[in-house]
């Protein structure tokens, strides 16, 4: 089964953002809209690509996530680092790690 | 496609010929290097000018002995990141003394106009109507250059040298 | 050091204005990301894992105190209070905003700095021996020629869209401290039989997925021919370098595929056409630039050496720092002071804005306002009086900058790795941190002696793992970070590519594995042998045995 969210970097400052359920972009991973089907993923990516054309974000893409103990987590370690900040600098940890 | 020449959009009088197209009786035609090499005896006695289109992996040297018979050389840029054409252009101008039209065709960006012009290109196939404005901006971006190239500008080293000589 | 004249200043100002317009066009939608990417890269601006990253050029690793202070200001004003010194002697900022980069570049231009060609498929920032001008073993200051090459390569109209990036390094010394033989072009300043000074030109070195040691194309090029010879090499590369596969596009592959003889033949044929022409380097231009690198007004030696000797005797901690971090200077009474950016548990190459300011102050006070950045990701105060070292050391210590570990086991090169880099497969920094804690005991470090550990988080090898005495390469194995170990690499005049010792280790195992290698070395070494010497004598077997015997 598919479980995905859309991420990108904000054009103006490059900060990692996630496509939220309201169609906006959030720095918080826990506010990302979660897709549970190919169709929903296509739809989210479509919204993101429009946002790229509108110069809100750069290079949006889908990432796989999994649900664990009621919280959503990125599957790949790379995406975990992107979502929550460089582990080497805990002072730059990003909010939104969820429960 | 319109042509940017001397900072203006102009009609392109040249008719591009595919290798199997018949050669028209008159009017300037643009042929591939292969066709030129195969049919140059016929093409050079035609009463109208001939241009040769070089692919990005064709060498300037391949045309070196024929440049007196060629009025236009078009150099293809299959991708803007493919920079071979810059060397081709400088060799045509600086080593082989080509004085005809040197045209950049294919995928070129406005941010490359200056580099292309410095290497000797004086015509550009463009699709954007705002090209003349972009051209003027690009040509005004820098006053001096560190390298001697095909555009004849004195390099900054030469300018420094002249200034010292003048002061003495 | 070099100072801009009005030509240089106008050029850099105009480059910033050009980039400002490119950023404006991007933000206003005239440029797509695909169109903007090559433009921003040619000005050192990447889009990394977390944000944009700006790489600022530190030409040949030389900085003034004023420039360092500006770098500190930029870290505070435009970033998050720190910067990262890189293996190409540059500095990277990890969090700049695209919209603010033109202003940032304007500020850099105020102190004669820029980000030109710190990325992209063009001639990159030219690197040089960090001890240039002060090394005792030097024929001539390589920065004179690095500066000449910097200018010639800046927005070169013919060579801005090369098959791939292109790196040049220069040294004037016998000892190669600039990893010259793993560059696309390496220049060794040489004196020929007639006593003239010129260059041995080597081509086709590099790291990445196909590491190679550069080969000599010409053993002596006269100074006046420097630029025409370089232009001949670049033209051959631009025309014949592969463009069908980015992994085979570096000049080393061209040299490898057509052979050094054929490559040399093509370069020489091209050079024959362009030498003695407009690229001839006028002696007065060399002299003009040379003058900027004239030695500062050194004071007489006096009691400097005696004072230093006395202070070393009275303070063992100071003595340890001098022993590892102070290097012989060509001028009697002076020393080259190395500032380690590898504190225990720290991020190799990182410096906070406060540390940068402190180094700027100390450079003004003790080193004729000059600072160097090394490819080992450390800093250098090149001109310190020996009797000022004690005060300097105390001031450095107060800033956490007095770690006495130069060239020792904890003086580790590490790329940013997966903590920052979008290309990385694994993290580098935490491995460096754990190693530096494991080997923190200074007595043990000094007992181990010179040992160069270099860590890369992916095969692109920004952390120079191929040329580490011990190299560590991070790989992704089914989502887990693993680390492959190579032994026997070297980046100096005896450059060598390390060999993989065996299967990779998990993140949990790798530090133990490194320690086992070091312990094996201590066990089998002979008197006076460095790790690399012992490895050269005994080969990989004793190390393999201890690492894999149990398996």
């Amino acid at each position: 089964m598919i479980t995905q969210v859309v991420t990108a970097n904000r054009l103006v400052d490059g900060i990692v953002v996630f496509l939220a359920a309201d169609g906006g972009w959030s720095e918080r991973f826990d506010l990302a809209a979660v897709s549970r089907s190919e169709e929903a993923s296509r739809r989210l990516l479509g919204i993101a690509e429009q946002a790229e054309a509108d110069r809100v974000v750069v290079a949006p893409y889908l990432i796989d996530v999994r649900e664990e103990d009621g919280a959503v987590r990125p599957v790949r370690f790379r995406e975990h680092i992107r979502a929550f900040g460089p582990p080497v600098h805990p002072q730059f940890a990003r909010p939104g790690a969820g429960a | 496609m319109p042509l940017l020449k001397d900072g203006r959009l102009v009609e392109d009088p040249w008719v591009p010929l595919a290798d199997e197209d018949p050669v028209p009786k008159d009017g300037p035609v643009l042929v591939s290097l292969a066709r030129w090499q195969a049919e140059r005896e016929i093409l050079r006695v035609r009463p109208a000018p001939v241009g040769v289109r070089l692919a990005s992996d064709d060498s300037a040297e391949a045309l070196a002995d024929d440049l007196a018979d060629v009025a236009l050389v078009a150099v293809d840029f299959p991708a803007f990141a493919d920079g071979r054409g810059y060397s081709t252009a400088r060799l045509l101008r600086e080593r082989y003394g080509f004085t005809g039209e040197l045209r950049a065709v294919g995928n070129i960006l406005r941010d490359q106009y200056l580099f292309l012009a410095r290497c000797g290109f004086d015509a550009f196939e463009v699709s954007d109507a705002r090209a003349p404005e972009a051209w003027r901006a690009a040509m005004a971006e820098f006053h001096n250059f560190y390298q001697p190239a095909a555009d004849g500008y004195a390099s900054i080293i030469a300018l420094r040298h002249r200034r010292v000589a003048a002061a003495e | 050091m070099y100072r801009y004249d009005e030509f240089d200043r106008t050029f850099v100002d105009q480059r910033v204005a050009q980039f400002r317009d490119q950023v404006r066009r991007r933000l206003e939608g005239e440029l797509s990301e695909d169109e903007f990417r090559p433009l921003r890269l040619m000005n050192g601006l990447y889009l990394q894992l977390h944000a944009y990253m700006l790489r600022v050029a530190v030409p040949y690793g030389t900085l003034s105190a004023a420039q360092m202070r500006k770098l500190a200001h930029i870290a505070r004003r435009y970033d998050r209070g720190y910067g990262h010194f890189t293996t190409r002697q540059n500095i990277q900022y990890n969090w700049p905003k695209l919209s603010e980069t033109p202003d940032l570049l304007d500020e850099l231009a105020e102190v004669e700095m820029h980000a030109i060609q710190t990325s992209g498929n063009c001639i990159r920032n030219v690197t040089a021996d960090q001890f240039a001008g002060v090394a005792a073993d030097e024929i001539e200051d390589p920065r004179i020629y690095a500066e000449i090459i910097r200018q010639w390569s800046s927005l070169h109209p013919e060579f801005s869209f090369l098959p791939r990036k292109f790196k040049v390094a220069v040294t004037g010394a016998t000892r190669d401290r600039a990893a010259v033989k793993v560059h696309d072009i390496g220049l060794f300043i040489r004196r020929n039989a007639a006593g003239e000074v010129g260059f041995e030109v080597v081509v086709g070195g590099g790291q990445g997925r196909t590491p190679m040691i550069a080969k000599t194309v010409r053993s002596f090029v006269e100074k006046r021919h420097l630029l025409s010879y370089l232009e001949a090499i670049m033209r051959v590369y631009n025309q014949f370098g592969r463009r069908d596969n980015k992994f085979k596009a570096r000049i080393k592959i061209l040299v490898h595929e057509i052979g050094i003889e054929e490559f040399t033949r093509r370069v020489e044929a091209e050079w024959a056409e362009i030498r003695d022409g407009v690229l001839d380097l006028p002696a007065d231009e060399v002299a003009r630039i040379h003058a900027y690198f004239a030695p500062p007004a050194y004071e007489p030696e006096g009691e400097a050496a005696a004072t230093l000797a006395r202070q070393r005797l009275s303070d063992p901690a100071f003595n340890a720092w001098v022993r590892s971090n102070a290097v012989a200077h060509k001028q009697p009474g002076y020393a080259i002071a190395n500032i380690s950016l590898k504190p225990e548990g720290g991020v190799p190459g990182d410096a906070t804005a406060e540390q940068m300011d402190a180094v700027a102050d100390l450079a003004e006070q003790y080193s004729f306002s000059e600072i160097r950045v090394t490819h080992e990701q450390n800093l250098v105060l090149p001109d310190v009086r020996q009797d000022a070292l004690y005060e300097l050391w105390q001031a450095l210590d107060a800033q956490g900058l007095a770690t006495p570990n130069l060239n020792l086991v904890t003086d580790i090169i590490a790329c940013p790795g997966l903590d920052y880099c979008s290309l990385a497969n694994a993290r580098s920094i935490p491995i460096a941190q754990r190693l530096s804690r494991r080997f923190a005991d200074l007595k043990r470090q000094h007992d181990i002696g010179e040992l160069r550990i270099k860590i890369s988080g992916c095969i692109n090898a920004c952390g120079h793992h191929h040329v580490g005495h011990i190299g560590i390469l991070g790989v992704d194995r089914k989502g887990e970070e693993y680390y492959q170990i190579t032994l026997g690499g070297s980046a100096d005049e005896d450059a060598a590519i390390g060999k993989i010792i065996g299967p990779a280790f998990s993140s949990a195992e790798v530090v133990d594995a490194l320690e086992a290698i070091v312990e094996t070395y201590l066990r089998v070494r002979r008197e006076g042998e460095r790790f690399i010497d012992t490895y050269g004598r005994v080969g990989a077997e004793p190390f393999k045995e201890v690492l894999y015997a149990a398996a």
Side-chain angles (χ1 to χ4, degrees):
Chain A
M1 194 192 89
I2 282 180
T3 319
Q4 292 180 315
V5 305
V6 173
T7 183
N9 294 77
R10 208 154 48 203
L11 172 65
V12 68
D13 61 5
I15 294 299
V16 172
V17 285
F18 299 92
L19 182 58
D22 64 1
W25 293 87
S26 173
E27 292 182 34
R28 295 182 64 103
F29 177 78
D30 58 357
L31 297 183
V34 180
S35 150
R36 290 186 177 77
S37 69
E38 274 184 42
E39 194 198 335
S41 289
R42 264 198 305 277
R43 192 177 54 78
L44 289 180
L45 198 57
I47 295 170
E49 279 163 359
Q50 185 57 49
E52 184 177 36
D54 294 340
R55 308 192 302 281
V56 178
V57 296
V58 181
Y61 61 99
L62 287 158
I63 61 167
D64 291 330
V65 297
R66 63 170 165 250
E67 287 166 283
E68 263 175 13
D69 309 325
V72 174
R73 294 281 174 173
V75 170
R76 289 185 62 202
F77 187 52
R78 176 186 194 275
E79 296 306 332
H80 184 91
I81 290 176
R82 254 185 112 251
F84 305 124
V88 72
H89 280 300
Q91 69 271 39
F92 303 142
R94 295 158 54 93
Chain B
M1 199 174 282
L3 202 59
L4 179 69
K5 217 177 160 182
D6 301 323
R8 291 194 308 276
L9 289 181
V10 297
E11 281 295 308
D12 180 4
W14 292 81
V15 175
L17 291 190
D19 283 356
E20 62 284 358
D21 285 351
V23 181
K25 270 210 191 51
D26 48 26
V29 292
L30 183 56
V31 300
S32 71
L33 176 64
R35 183 155 192 187
W36 167 258
Q37 287 173 333
E39 299 173 29
R40 81 184 114 198
E41 299 314 323
I42 303 162
L43 290 166
R44 75 163 43 122
V45 296
R46 238 176 118 256
V50 179
V52 176
R53 182 175 174 127
L54 296 180
S56 64
D57 57 354
D58 288 334
S59 74
E61 199 181 357
L63 259 187
D65 295 334
D66 298 341
L67 288 170
D69 296 319
V70 171
L72 162 74
V73 178
V75 178
D76 185 42
F77 289 82
F80 68 79
D82 185 340
R84 285 176 284 193
Y86 296 91
S87 290
T88 308
R90 286 194 67 186
L91 290 170
L92 286 170
R93 290 289 194 220
E94 295 173 59
R95 183 157 310 159
Y96 304 122
F98 180 61
T99 55
E101 180 178 318
L102 186 52
R103 185 185 289 188
V105 302
N107 187 351
I108 54 174
L109 307 177
R110 63 173 269 183
D111 297 278
Q112 295 176 313
Y113 286 161
L114 182 63
F115 292 138
L116 292 163
R118 295 216 64 215
C119 288
F121 287 102
D122 57 1
F124 309 86
E125 238 180 49
V126 293
S127 53
D128 188 343
R130 293 168 301 177
E133 180 197 331
W135 169 265
R136 277 191 296 279
M139 292 304 118
E141 271 170 348
F142 291 93
H143 293 156
N144 292 115
F145 307 103
Y146 286 109
Q147 318 79 9
D151 55 358
Y153 274 101
S155 72
I156 286 173
I157 290 181
L159 294 172
R160 284 174 179 145
H161 185 68
R162 271 183 215 166
R163 195 177 50 183
V164 171
E168 275 164 2
Chain C
M1 58 185 283
Y2 187 69
R3 297 301 311 266
Y4 285 4
D5 67 3
E6 73 239 40
F7 293 110
D8 302 311
R9 190 165 295 116
T10 304
F11 178 83
V12 169
D13 287 345
Q14 290 181 328
R15 179 71 182 99
V16 176
Q18 181 187 44
F19 188 67
R20 185 180 290 281
D21 186 58
Q22 291 166 345
V23 170
R24 179 192 61 77
R25 284 189 276 140
R26 174 70 184 112
L27 292 173
E28 290 177 1
E30 281 181 49
L31 290 172
S32 69
E33 185 61 15
D34 282 346
E35 292 165 329
F36 182 57
R37 186 182 304 109
L39 305 180
R40 66 168 160 75
L41 287 177
M42 279 192 70
N43 215 29
L45 188 65
Y46 288 74
L47 185 56
Q48 278 291 11
L49 202 56
H50 304 288
Y52 293 102
M53 178 198 90
L54 183 72
R55 183 179 295 147
V56 174
V58 179
Y60 36 90
T62 294
L63 283 172
S64 69
Q67 290 174 328
M68 184 64 102
R69 215 166 265 128
K70 181 63 88 176
L71 294 178
H73 163 75
I74 285 170
R76 278 194 201 94
R77 164 68 185 77
Y78 297 94
D79 209 86
R80 295 189 176 179
Y82 68 106
H84 176 75
F85 289 97
T86 77
T87 52
R88 298 211 72 254
Q89 300 178 303
N90 294 320
I91 183 169
Q92 291 174 180
Y93 294 105
N94 291 302
W95 311 90
K97 296 181 171 71
L98 173 61
S99 54
E100 291 184 349
T101 48
D103 292 342
L104 190 168
L105 292 166
D106 262 336
E107 293 219 37
L108 281 177
E110 286 172 15
V111 293
E112 304 178 6
M113 294 186 79
H114 58 71
I116 297 169
Q117 288 166 215
T118 54
S119 179
N121 293 336
C122 49
I123 301 169
R124 301 287 188 89
N125 182 43
V126 180
T127 56
D129 182 358
Q130 65 264 26
F131 298 162
V134 293
D137 62 341
E138 184 172 277
I139 295 174
E140 217 175 285
D141 193 328
R143 295 174 301 169
I144 302 163
Y145 306 98
E147 174 60 26
I148 287 168
I149 296 167
R150 182 191 74 81
Q151 296 187 19
W152 160 81
S153 64
S154 291
L155 300 193
H156 197 295
E158 185 178 347
F159 307 132
S160 289
F161 296 90
L162 296 168
R164 200 74 176 84
K165 59 186 167 184
F166 204 92
K167 300 175 181 178
V168 181
V170 198
T171 183
T174 338
R175 285 297 310 274
D176 176 5
R177 288 172 285 262
V180 172
K181 287 187 178 171
V182 285
H183 281 75
D184 295 283
I185 291 180
L187 297 171
F188 291 95
I189 296 177
R190 301 281 193 222
R191 202 182 295 280
N192 69 6
E196 298 160 328
V197 174
F199 305 91
E200 178 183 350
V201 181
V202 301
V203 173
Q207 303 190 60
R209 69 187 61 215
T210 322
M212 301 220 187
I213 304 297
K215 299 184 176 75
T216 301
V217 283
R218 189 166 250 274
S219 55
F220 193 81
V221 173
E222 287 171 60
K223 283 182 191 175
R224 71 183 185 93
H225 295 310
L226 174 64
L227 294 184
S228 60
Y229 204 80
L230 292 180
E231 190 137 314
I233 294 171
M234 297 313 300
R235 185 168 283 164
V236 169
Y237 173 53
N238 192 42
Q239 291 179 289
F240 301 108
R242 286 182 63 171
R243 291 178 186 267
D244 58 327
N245 178 344
K246 87 177 242 195
F247 300 125
K248 296 186 173 174
R250 295 288 288 268
I251 196 172
K252 62 191 172 187
I253 303 295
L254 175 65
V255 172
H256 180 73
E257 287 183 350
I258 67 175
I260 188 67
E261 293 77 18
E262 171 62 12
F263 179 81
T264 304
R265 190 194 63 72
R266 291 188 197 180
V267 168
E268 292 281 325
E270 180 59 36
W271 186 47
E273 296 278 353
I274 60 174
R275 57 177 290 179
D276 304 316
V278 285
L279 280 168
D280 240 28
L281 193 53
D284 58 358
E285 177 67 0
V286 177
R288 185 186 79 86
I289 293 180
H290 195 159
Y292 286 109
F293 296 103
Y298 292 122
E299 289 167 30
E301 183 180 6
E303 297 301 303
T307 305
L308 172 62
R310 205 170 50 244
Q311 288 165 330
R312 289 183 68 165
L313 277 175
S314 66
D315 191 330
F318 172 62
N319 187 47
W321 180 77
V322 172
R323 192 173 136 203
S324 62
N325 289 35
V327 172
H329 195 289
K330 68 176 183 187
Q331 183 72 18
Y334 281 79
I336 302 169
N338 289 273
I339 301 173
S340 170
L341 296 180
K342 322 288 176 67
E344 182 185 339
V347 178
D350 271 16
T352 64
E354 291 67 35
Q355 288 176 324
M356 290 186 232
D357 274 337
V359 170
D361 292 345
L362 294 171
E364 273 174 353
Q365 203 172 345
Y366 297 110
S367 186
F368 298 96
S369 296
E370 201 170 302
I371 302 152
R372 309 289 175 81
V373 182
T374 80
H375 88 266
E376 289 100 346
Q377 303 178 282
N378 292 316
L379 300 176
V380 178
L381 297 184
D383 287 305
V384 182
R385 265 187 75 86
Q386 290 177 355
D387 53 9
L389 282 171
Y390 193 68
E391 277 176 43
L392 171 67
W393 170 72
Q394 289 174 315
L396 288 171
D397 197 34
Q399 292 291 336
L401 290 170
T403 313
N405 62 348
L406 193 76
N407 300 338
L408 301 180
V409 61
T410 61
D411 185 6
I412 298 166
I413 289 182
C415 72
L418 192 52
D419 276 288
Y420 289 103
C421 180
S422 58
L423 299 175
N425 293 319
R427 287 175 295 169
S428 305
I429 296 167
I431 306 300
Q433 289 174 315
R434 284 161 53 203
L435 283 169
S436 79
R437 291 193 186 105
R438 177 69 65 92
F439 290 101
D441 178 9
L442 273 172
K443 194 168 163 301
R444 186 179 179 205
Q445 287 197 52
H446 280 274
D447 180 38
I448 296 164
E450 181 184 337
L451 177 47
R452 316 285 184 110
I453 297 180
K454 307 187 181 190
I455 310 174
S456 304
C458 80
I459 193 61
N460 291 306
C462 296
H464 291 199
H465 67 276
H466 292 300
V467 292
H469 295 172
I470 303 178
I472 302 176
L473 167 65
V475 294
D476 177 346
R477 190 180 282 177
K478 293 181 184 146
E480 297 288 318
E481 295 170 296
Y482 268 73
Y483 296 89
Q484 202 168 64
I485 295 177
T486 54
L487 297 182
S490 171
D492 61 15
E493 59 280 4
D494 304 315
I497 306 299
K499 293 197 173 62
I500 295 171
I501 181 88
F505 295 90
S506 71
S507 177
E509 298 162 338
V510 67
V511 172
D512 290 338
L514 258 285
E515 190 167 30
I517 291 168
V518 171
E519 290 300 326
T520 305
Y521 152 67
L522 292 175
R523 189 162 46 75
V524 303
R525 75 173 167 188
R526 289 180 181 160
E527 182 70 28
E529 271 184 349
R530 300 171 302 163
F531 174 87
I532 189 74
D533 305 322
T534 301
Y535 175 82
R537 178 173 56 81
V538 304
E541 273 319 308
F543 301 101
K544 269 188 188 160
E545 244 165 64
V546 67
L547 288 176
Y548 302 108

